[in-house]
Amino acid sequence: MLQFGRLLRSYDMLVTPSEIFDGLRALESVDLNDRSEVQLALRTTLTSKLEDLPVFDQLFELFWRSLSAEQQAGDEDALVNPNQEGEPDAQQKMQVRLEAKEDGEESEEGEEELALYSPVEVATEKDFSAFQADEMAEIARVILIIAKRLATRESRRTRTASKSHLIDPRRTMRRNLKYGDTIIELARKTKKIRKPRIVLICDVSRSMDTYSRFLLQFIHAFQNSLGRVESFVFSTSLTRVTDYFKNEDIGEALDRIAREVHDWSGGTRIGQSLRTFNQEYGRKLVDHNTIVLILSDGLDTGDAEVLGDAMEELAERACKVIWLNPLLGSQDYRPLARGMSTALPHVDVFAPAHNVASLQELSRHLTTG
């Protein structure tokens, strides 16, 4: 239960020792052999917001089924060699990093890493290009969880709250002056949800076919979780797709984009597309409180000078330009292609985007502070 509580906290759910204690008490009142009763008891005691419910359900399945699989594997190995600990197949490992919520700020337990085992062999370190067709639904759910987590990151700033595990010492002292030296009333506070303005620009050219569908799923989930997101795709030209992603069904949204974006899976003119963005949308959508994310392999067939000028203008206008390149996931990759080398001097963060783990790492860069 303590491990499960830490996992929930790593996904920004308010689970304190008090909630863990309530959960244990609730389990005393249900049939522990009835999975649905256990899930409902913990769901009731360990969630505090409506948006926590789908995240809780997903993590419950991953954690408890994985724990069961680990125990069974250990029992089987113990029959063969009682001195050797059982370990499931490496392909079934799913690493869930319990990271501190803020840069330079550790959680109560510090940084930990908890190994889970997914029943459909989803691994955060597995390259998107290696997933099979029957794994797509599961990886889409994992991407949804990550996008929601990024979209609801807590700020260092706080606001007053009637219910919270955080005590506001200053307001507590002021409130209790009338009682002398006795603390009678506690003032509470909670962290604000950080809501940066995000512009996402995704390369859907032929060279990005392997990754673009996963990245567009991420964009779709991110936009629907955060709200303050503008989304664009480009190949040889730029298309705004914000309205397409208002459709809750990602499959329908992607099919419509593929039909209506005429140069889908075509060539790549990054510079021309970014110049179009600057001319038609830049002044309205990008300011010093805006983070621009470009998702592309940087393989440009257009004019490098146009790309350099467009990137320079974008960098001057935005708070931060983040370039996510799936090729960067390879140890042998070097940004020597003309397009990528031209863009790099104007990029604040250059990071990979080839698997789930790389998308998780994005959280540390989504701050305008």
Side-chain angles (χ1 to χ4, degrees):
M1 277 293 293
L2 289 173
Q3 287 182 336
F4 184 52
R6 290 167 187 161
L7 175 61
L8 296 179
R9 279 200 300 277
S10 77
Y11 280 82
D12 296 334
M13 294 175 63
L14 180 60
V15 180
T16 69
S18 176
E19 278 77 29
I20 294 294
F21 182 69
D22 289 342
L24 290 170
R25 292 181 60 189
L27 292 180
E28 293 178 350
S29 304
V30 301
D31 181 1
L32 295 180
N33 292 316
D34 189 324
R35 184 181 188 82
S36 60
E37 283 194 21
V38 171
Q39 182 171 359
L40 183 58
L42 296 182
R43 199 174 193 253
T44 303
T45 53
L46 301 183
T47 61
S48 57
K49 297 181 292 185
L50 184 62
E51 53 265 34
D52 288 343
L53 299 182
V55 178
F56 174 88
D57 291 341
Q58 177 72 7
L59 294 176
F60 182 91
E61 291 297 320
L62 287 173
F63 183 87
W64 294 106
R65 286 189 178 178
S66 301
L67 188 62
S68 176
E70 181 180 11
Q71 291 170 341
Q72 291 175 7
D75 292 342
E76 292 174 1
D77 285 350
L79 293 175
V80 179
N81 183 354
N83 296 320
Q84 182 178 358
E85 294 185 0
E87 184 173 348
D89 190 284
Q91 289 185 344
Q92 292 181 313
K93 277 194 175 181
M94 180 185 213
Q95 296 296 333
V96 178
R97 305 183 189 282
L98 306 186
E99 298 173 325
K101 293 179 182 176
E102 302 290 344
D103 292 343
E105 184 177 309
E106 290 190 356
S107 64
E108 294 176 0
E109 296 82 10
E111 273 199 3
E112 300 185 40
E113 190 172 276
L114 179 65
L116 297 182
Y117 305 95
S118 167
V120 290
E121 301 180 357
V122 177
T124 59
E125 302 293 338
K126 188 174 181 179
D127 195 285
F128 286 142
S129 62
F131 281 100
Q132 304 299 316
D134 59 351
E135 297 175 297
M136 295 302 183
E138 182 65 22
I139 195 61
R141 284 193 290 271
V142 175
I143 288 175
L144 175 61
I145 291 175
I146 293 171
K148 286 187 173 181
R149 180 184 179 189
L150 295 183
T152 56
R153 291 183 68 237
E154 292 177 341
S155 169
R156 293 182 186 275
R157 297 182 180 181
T158 60
R159 59 177 177 82
T160 59
S162 57
K163 293 182 179 180
S164 174
H165 67 291
L166 297 177
I167 304 300
D168 187 331
R170 185 175 298 177
R171 289 181 54 246
T172 295
M173 294 300 296
R174 287 202 302 266
R175 181 178 293 182
N176 289 276
L177 288 175
K178 57 187 175 183
Y179 301 117
D181 295 332
T182 305
I183 301 297
I184 303 296
E185 300 177 11
L186 293 177
R188 300 181 182 273
K189 62 182 179 180
T190 187
K191 290 185 177 181
K192 294 180 179 179
I193 298 299
R194 177 177 292 147
K195 294 286 186 180
R197 176 183 289 178
I198 305 289
V199 172
L200 292 159
I201 306 175
C202 185
D203 185 345
V204 294
S205 63
R206 189 178 301 107
S207 63
M208 284 284 291
D209 270 346
T210 303
Y211 298 97
S212 59
R213 192 170 186 88
F214 292 100
L215 297 177
L216 287 171
Q217 286 180 341
F218 174 74
I219 291 175
H220 174 267
F222 200 81
Q223 179 179 308
N224 281 277
S225 301
L226 184 59
R228 299 182 64 192
V229 176
E230 285 286 342
S231 304
F232 298 81
V233 298
F234 71 87
S235 183
T236 56
S237 60
L238 183 82
T239 303
R240 179 177 177 271
V241 294
T242 305
D243 294 339
Y244 291 76
F245 284 146
K246 290 179 180 178
N247 188 330
E248 292 185 0
D249 189 319
I250 178 61
E252 292 182 7
L254 292 178
D255 288 343
R256 184 183 168 199
I257 292 173
R259 287 195 310 269
E260 299 183 14
V261 175
H262 301 298
D263 59 346
W264 179 280
S265 195
T268 315
R269 292 183 181 176
I270 306 175
Q272 180 63 46
S273 299
L274 293 182
R275 183 166 67 178
T276 300
F277 173 82
N278 287 333
Q279 292 173 345
E280 298 185 10
Y281 304 99
R283 292 180 181 176
K284 180 180 179 181
L285 299 180
V286 181
D287 57 26
H288 290 296
N289 294 312
T290 305
I291 297 174
V292 177
L293 281 99
I294 301 173
L295 301 94
S296 173
D297 55 16
L299 302 179
D300 189 20
T301 59
D303 189 328
E305 185 176 350
V306 172
L307 175 58
D309 291 343
M311 286 295 300
E312 182 178 6
E313 181 178 346
L314 195 59
E316 289 178 354
R317 184 172 287 145
C319 163
K320 185 184 298 183
V321 176
I322 301 173
W323 192 299
L324 301 181
N325 188 332
L327 301 182
L328 193 54
S330 170
Q331 294 183 349
D332 299 327
Y333 174 74
R334 299 291 182 273
L336 302 178
R338 183 181 58 176
M340 197 68 258
S341 61
T342 300
L344 268 182
H346 310 290
V347 172
D348 297 292
V349 177
F350 186 47
H354 63 297
N355 59 17
V356 171
S358 63
L359 296 183
Q360 285 179 308
E361 289 294 317
L362 183 59
S363 61
R364 69 180 62 189
H365 305 302
L366 293 183
T367 171
T368 56

